[in-house]
Amino acid sequence: MNIEKQTIDTISLTINMQTYNEVEIVLVEDNPNDAELTIRALKKINLANNLIHLKDGAEALDFIFARGIYSQRNVENIPKVILLDIKMPKVDGIEVLRQIKGNDLTKRIPVVIMTSSKEQKDIFNSYNLGVNSYVVKPVDFESFAKAVSELGLYWVLLNQKTI
Amino acid sequence: MENYQLEKRIEDLNRQLQTTIQDLEELQHALSHDLRAPLRAVIGFSSILKEEYSGQLDDEARRLIETIVTNSKKANHFIEELVSFSRLGRKHLLLQQVPMQKLAWQCIHELLTEQEQEVFDIVIGDLPDCYGDAVMLKEVWVQLLKNAIRYSSKKEQPSIEVNFTVADGLSVYVVKDKGAGFDMEYSHKLFHIFQRLHSNDEFEGTGTGLAIVKRIILKHGGSVWAEAVPNKGSSFYFTVPLQEQ
């Protein structure tokens, strides 16, 4: 409990409410190694400046719906993309997706599922709930870095953001 | 046994079967999800080490990192093959008329470039259509032809012959090559997953191809077998229903 509180405090210290509103990429990933590899790949193409890393589904919901420690965030400032892992403690990615796509305020935010497995059930459920893209994380590093940077370039630079 | 005892026995067995299937599904999920994440970290961080610190590393250090990366990739490849193999078992057949001759040629074109096709002596005889799952049967051709190509790679005049015969009332498709062959003494191992009759130094492979072939053919109610002579070549035979049954 203490450790969790501490991480949240550090995040709050490093990013103030002003920058919360400028977030372009929301990375929801519980595995710190996967998160580091993803952020590293985005940094290489200069896309990690306005990125926030959230460590589980519950924190993601707080951020997206401007609740809890993120209650000062303006919910109408929507990010350019949410990169969402499926398998996470507490609230999993499918549930986060369900809540985002089930709410008029947030349903237009592009959500990209990034997961380790090609589980048929997960793919079906994600598209059923309205996911914008579904990507299986490659295990090989070069392919992983390439996949992440292509995703970043597409959603942050190429894709026209919703209004 | 009394009727009600029999019924209870069947019920018990069914419940056990359900539990086993559930266990298998969970195992498969764990394999594809939980094992791949740490492998991605091993490969990722070793690659970063190599990329960003290569100036500070000598040749031996770089070779060691390369060994770590190669082996982790191999482990990942095994996991992928195992998962797709176990997924196959639960897939339902989508039955339709399948143009086997067209399918065989299609696989040849996908597996070999035009130049490579010229090196091989390729004969595909008259193959009748069969009745089965086209996607799965294509996988059968891919695996058998891939093997024929792989085990012919050290021959000067490699050849592949695909044909169809009727023997003892059975309709049999066959893929023949004049490649490395194998010792018939070990043929019982041939169709088991992760079993190989050649070392990786001789010929690359994981030992899933023929296990996949067998699984698909059995699902169609057919059978598959092989004959070979070491260094002279192999023939792989399979039967599948030709018409709706």
Side-chain angles (χ1 to χ4, degrees):
Chain A
M1 193 65 200
N2 268 333
I3 299 168
E4 253 177 49
K5 181 80 175 41
Q6 205 184 344
T7 22
I8 290 172
D9 282 347
T10 345
I11 295 169
S12 323
L13 280 175
T14 45
I15 306 176
N16 59 32
M17 284 306 150
Q18 179 66 38
T19 38
Y20 280 157
N21 288 328
E22 287 166 8
V23 166
E24 291 185 332
I25 301 177
V26 177
L27 173 64
V28 189
E29 171 65 75
D30 67 310
N31 181 325
N33 294 323
D34 273 359
E36 188 177 338
L37 293 175
T38 307
I39 294 169
R40 207 173 246 276
L42 290 170
K43 254 189 198 150
K44 280 213 161 152
I45 49 169
N46 274 325
L47 287 182
N49 296 331
N50 296 320
L51 176 145
I52 187 168
H53 170 209
L54 308 170
K55 291 169 186 72
D56 61 55
E59 207 187 340
L61 289 173
D62 276 354
F63 180 86
I64 292 155
F65 292 103
R67 296 188 305 226
I69 60 159
Y70 301 106
S71 55
Q72 298 300 310
R73 196 182 84 84
N74 182 356
V75 80
E76 280 168 19
N77 279 329
I78 69 176
K80 288 189 172 170
V81 67
I82 297 174
L83 304 177
L84 184 62
D85 186 22
I86 290 187
K87 213 180 167 197
M88 291 182 294
K90 293 194 234 174
V91 183
D92 71 10
I94 297 286
E95 181 54 30
V96 174
L97 178 68
R98 188 193 317 278
Q99 296 203 24
I100 293 172
K101 294 298 182 186
N103 189 310
D104 279 345
L105 272 178
T106 53
K107 68 180 183 193
R108 287 167 297 127
I109 308 175
V111 180
V112 176
I113 291 275
M114 285 183 75
T115 175
S116 280
S117 76
K118 277 184 232 178
E119 213 50 46
Q120 309 284 312
K121 199 177 72 204
D122 288 341
I123 298 175
F124 183 84
N125 286 339
S126 301
Y127 278 109
N128 226 6
L129 291 170
V131 79
N132 299 79
S133 187
Y134 190 105
V135 177
V136 178
K137 292 184 232 174
V139 168
D140 177 61
F141 178 65
E142 286 97 59
S143 325
F144 180 84
K146 190 164 168 269
V148 172
S149 56
E150 277 176 10
L151 272 179
L153 290 172
Y154 178 79
W155 288 106
V156 176
L157 298 178
L158 192 60
N159 186 51
Q160 176 59 54
K161 199 183 158 190
T162 176
I163 36 167
Chain B
M1 258 196 272
E2 299 284 333
N3 247 352
Y4 77 93
Q5 278 178 311
L6 270 175
E7 271 169 30
K8 193 175 173 304
R9 177 109 186 89
I10 291 172
E11 225 172 78
D12 283 348
L13 283 174
N14 253 333
R15 205 170 303 129
Q16 278 174 28
L17 184 66
Q18 284 309 320
T19 321
T20 313
I21 291 173
Q22 230 167 8
D23 284 352
L24 266 176
E25 278 175 15
E26 273 164 28
L27 181 71
Q28 185 196 309
H29 189 263
L31 267 177
S32 63
H33 213 288
D34 301 327
L35 260 181
R36 294 183 82 210
L39 273 178
R40 183 163 46 246
V42 173
I43 297 173
F45 289 96
S46 316
S47 306
I48 291 169
L49 187 63
K50 194 176 72 181
E51 234 178 76
E52 295 183 11
Y53 294 86
S54 72
Q56 287 154 261
L57 299 170
D58 60 16
D59 284 352
E60 179 61 3
R62 276 193 290 268
R63 187 188 68 83
L64 294 176
I65 294 174
E66 207 48 62
T67 312
I68 295 172
V69 173
T70 318
N71 280 287
S72 315
K73 282 184 186 173
K74 222 178 264 174
N76 176 51
H77 194 58
F78 269 109
I79 294 172
E80 273 171 7
E81 303 256 290
L82 190 60
V83 168
S84 66
F85 179 70
S86 91
R87 205 168 270 158
L88 190 62
R90 283 184 281 126
K91 253 189 207 151
H92 291 291
L93 296 177
L94 202 72
L95 295 172
Q96 58 183 30
Q97 182 112 342
V98 183
M100 293 294 258
Q101 190 165 349
K102 205 173 129 195
L103 220 48
W105 273 119
Q106 198 184 337
C107 296
I108 289 282
H109 295 315
E110 284 173 18
L111 293 168
L112 293 170
T113 63
E114 268 177 44
Q115 284 131 313
E116 285 168 334
Q117 283 178 43
E118 276 168 29
V119 179
F120 274 85
D121 181 15
I122 301 172
V123 177
I124 296 190
D126 277 334
L127 308 181
D129 290 1
C130 74
Y131 193 76
D133 184 303
V135 177
M136 287 197 198
L137 289 171
K138 186 181 174 195
E139 188 63 24
V140 168
W141 287 120
V142 166
Q143 296 297 346
L144 292 180
L145 291 168
K146 220 193 238 173
N147 274 353
I149 293 165
R150 179 185 297 152
Y151 294 107
S152 300
S153 62
K154 292 179 182 166
K155 297 287 175 187
E156 269 176 33
Q157 282 180 310
S159 89
I160 296 175
E161 187 196 331
V162 181
N163 233 319
F164 176 84
T165 53
V166 179
D168 297 333
L170 283 176
S171 313
V172 187
Y173 295 88
V174 54
V175 177
K176 268 185 203 168
D177 66 62
K178 290 182 184 157
F182 57 85
D183 190 339
M184 284 299 281
E185 199 187 323
Y186 305 110
S187 63
H188 59 283
K189 287 187 164 184
L190 213 53
F191 294 98
H192 290 286
I193 191 154
F194 296 147
Q195 294 280 357
R196 300 200 61 213
L197 300 186
H198 294 276
S199 73
N200 238 14
D201 294 340
E202 279 182 289
F203 297 99
E204 285 272 328
T206 53
T208 44
L210 290 177
I212 289 173
V213 167
K214 187 177 181 186
R215 183 64 76 91
I216 294 174
I217 297 299
L218 288 185
K219 268 178 109 75
H220 281 80
S223 50
V224 56
W225 66 97
E227 282 166 7
V229 180
N231 268 318
K232 289 271 193 283
S234 334
S235 302
F236 284 87
Y237 304 89
F238 67 91
T239 63
V240 278
L242 296 190
Q243 264 123 32
E244 189 171 355
Q245 285 171 331

